[in-house]
Amino acid sequence: MAVLPWSCRCGLSRSPANSRGAPAPSPPDRRSKYSGQSVRAMPMRVLTVGKKRSRGTQLIVEEYKEKLGYYCDIQDTLIKSNPKLTSDVMVQVEAEDMAMMLQLKPEDFVVVLDENGKDVTSEQIADLLGDAGNTGSSRLTFCIGGPYGLGLQVRERADATIRLSSMVLNHQVALIVLMEQLYR
Ligand SMILES: C[S@@+](CC[C@H](N)C(=O)[O-])C[C@H]1O[C@@H](n2cnc3c(N)ncnc32)[C@H](O)[C@@H]1O
């Protein structure tokens, strides 16, 4: 089973150097509770609702997938937005909701990304990853909505709902920020 030293990816290794060049210790409250421990690296999956990605986004996502792939199994699944080609926003969101629910299995620890979710620091994301591994879930699944956001069923299925910023982000931007935080 893969073992991931989250400590090296969640703040300590990025601390500014002191005058002798040695890394300054992070303040205690900025550490993940898993700092210095080896934590089971759960397989991760990111579900994103959207159309075909821009080339730039896809390149960045591939870069992060490659980096993360050294530590854990990471899957990136694009769910087609507006599968019913409807002009009714409610019908669109419901159809996307259903398509995403079909992807979710009982063994998934589901993290919904939402601009109204809980504010989290990078260290708290590291904690979330570690905690999810202790719940009996066998996979961590992150859900990013389409242009009109996520539907009710996915929101209700969430084990955690987090936000990456107090600003509303385009779903491709949200995906890139998430990938960067997972790598961090
Ligand atoms: C364009 S936003 C949806 C906007 C909004 N929910 C709506 O109904 O108009 C697309 C998706 O990106 C993700 N997202 C956008 N801003 C976010 C933020 N600040 N934090 C976390 N996720 C965000 C969410 O998953 C959201 O469903």
Side-chain angles (χ1 to χ4, degrees), residues 2 12 41 54 61 64 98 122 144 154-155 173 175:
L12 292 179
S54 70
V61 170
Y64 276 109
M98 208 172 288
S122 299
I144 297 179
V154 172
R155 288 173 191 276
V173 176
L175 173 63

Side-chain angles (χ1 to χ4, degrees), residues 46-59:
V46 184
L47 303 178
T48 321
V49 177
K51 297 202 178 92
K52 195 169 178 280
R53 290 181 191 144
S54 70
R55 249 184 74 212
T57 300
Q58 193 58 34
L59 272 174

